[in-house]
Amino acid sequence: MNARQKFVAFKTIVFREILRFSRIWIQTILPPVITTALYFVIFGTLIGSQIGDMDGVRYMDYIVPGLIMMAVITNSYANVVSSFYGSKFQHNIEEMLVSPMPNYVILLGFISGGVARGMAVGLAVTLVSLLFSNLQIHHLAVIISVVMLTSVLFALAGFINGIYANSFDDISIIPTFVLTPLIYLGGIFYSISMLPEFWQKVSLINPILYMVNAFRYGFLGISDINLLASYAIILGFVAGLFGFSLHLLNKGKGIRS
Amino acid sequence: MTAALSIRQLTKTYANGLQALKGIDLEVAEGDFFALLGPNGAGKSTTIGIITSLVNKTSGQVAIFGHDLDRELTAAKSQLGLVPQEFNFNVFEPVVEIVANQGGYYGIERKLAYERAEQYLKQLGLWEKRHSPARNLSGGMKRRLMIARALVHRPRLLILDEPTAGVDIEIRHSMWEFLKTINRQGTTIILTTHYLEEAENLCRNIAIIDEGRVIENTGMKQLLHQLQMETFVLDLARPLASLPDIPGHVLRRVDDTTLEADISRGTSVNRLFADLTARDIQVLSMRNKTNRLEKLFMYLVDNDRQAGVRP
Ligand SMILES: Nc1ncnc2c1ncn2[C@@H]1O[C@H](COP(=O)(O)OP(=O)(O)OP(=O)(O)O)[C@@H](O)[C@H]1O
Ligand SMILES: [Mg+2]
């Protein structure tokens, strides 16, 4: 296969993925928009008005970046894990496995599909947030690069989950028991400076904290942690997970007997 | 000429320890229509899985048009089209997209992929259904969908694993015609089936595998030649009270108006008719009983199994 043909194969997967989640938008795009709108109403407007400022910004404005990030993370992950597991379950992954396209093209295709859904939902949630807050932009390049990289990272994580999954239960265990707690403890709703010193240290183990803070920096210009550290951690995870995913694909883990 | 498919000493042991292939050797010439036969669990699908790189082999070599799977996987894959035994498409996807996307995976531009999808879906009588999600197709339509999908990149070697399972007679015959046509146009075809008349009708060469071994690999004509006896069914004009005793013929009375006659190879049927006419027995029609290949197949598999445990 030449480069042009590989690109056609890649585009085919991406289009197929976009079509897949758009066809079922009531299950894929709408729910996160509704949930986040509820967060805005309850935490931002009702409770937020009692809280006052956080790190010198209105509480409503403080939580918006984190809530966008939460939607992006869960949807990038969910798209890849359910699509990949689904194609294993229905065996249509074989359509790709018999074809001459290299494994890295398959991987990039699924990841881009996850990023597409993450971005679609992220954009929808951002639009909703404009109804509740006046979003300012401190540094656009930071916003875009952090949200894209984070989306890639969790799309990769979802891919690995999909490879190991042997049942539909397996694709909800990690999101429920690992991802959700990490997101909630990742500084979406609070600044870690509010925590006792010990818990601040513990929080720093959570990679999502770095992403949420870097993203918030892009909007508000404030962050609990160093921006460079955030990038380093995100890029490190992306590289590691990409290498691991490709290794699993090459081995045929979960897809070849 | 390089063989379309060449398999040397192929073995497969599954993770659970089951030894599905115990050293398969096969060669399929370019342009051939090849039958891969064998009872359930013989290892046909395992062999096909390895050829199409959906199953990892344990040892041995496979080459497709001279491209070894271990060294030139991409080149080998692009020559291959697979119609698997089990449905393996996304049932929520519309028919035309399933076919066109498969073209995309082979690097075929979208426009061309849709043109090809149209061509094959029309040829296989599925064009009306192009916008239906695949789950709305009947079983026979799903089989044809998988044939269209396997052809979209114009493979030189098409492998069909029981493509006519559950397909009605009329559609089966049109599928035969279709496969014969693409074979005439140059596509090498390997077919597995449990309908032996299908193999006899379509294929020029044949391999029978049983318990992970090739037990017969020869031309269809040569194989059928091994049969010493052919059985004919005769429909009679008038009921017969008893079985006529005609020296030199083995006859059986099936019912009042039906006789079966075993005729050895090389014996003329004319003599039988002459003898019957002499006894005032009029034959309305005559047909070949059951499938000849079926008989041979049973014989070969039984013989192989009786040969006992081999190393
Ligand atoms: N994934 C697997 N894991 C373990 N054993 C398997 C697996 N797939 C097939 N087998 C075993 O390998 C043997 C050969 O199976 P295979 O599917 O190749 O047979 P087949 O000739 O295609 O049979 P059929 O005519 O029923 O389709 C069988 O004993 C089967 O149980
Ligand atoms: Mg089989």
Side-chain angles (χ1 to χ4, degrees), chain A residues 116-139:
Chain A
R117 165 140 155 224
M119 293 304 121
V121 171
L123 204 64
V125 170
T126 307
L127 292 178
V128 172
S129 77
L130 292 177
L131 300 175
F132 299 89
S133 66
N134 40 43
L135 213 54
Q136 25 168 323
I137 291 175
H138 181 72
H139 204 307

Side-chain angles (χ1 to χ4, degrees), chain B residues 3-4 15 49 76 89 146 188 205 224 226 245 258 262-263 266 289 303:
Chain B
F89 38 75
M146 295 203 295
T188 310
N205 287 295
L224 292 172
Q226 288 183 16
D245 181 32
T258 317
D262 290 342
I263 296 180
K289 198 202 173 185
N303 242 16

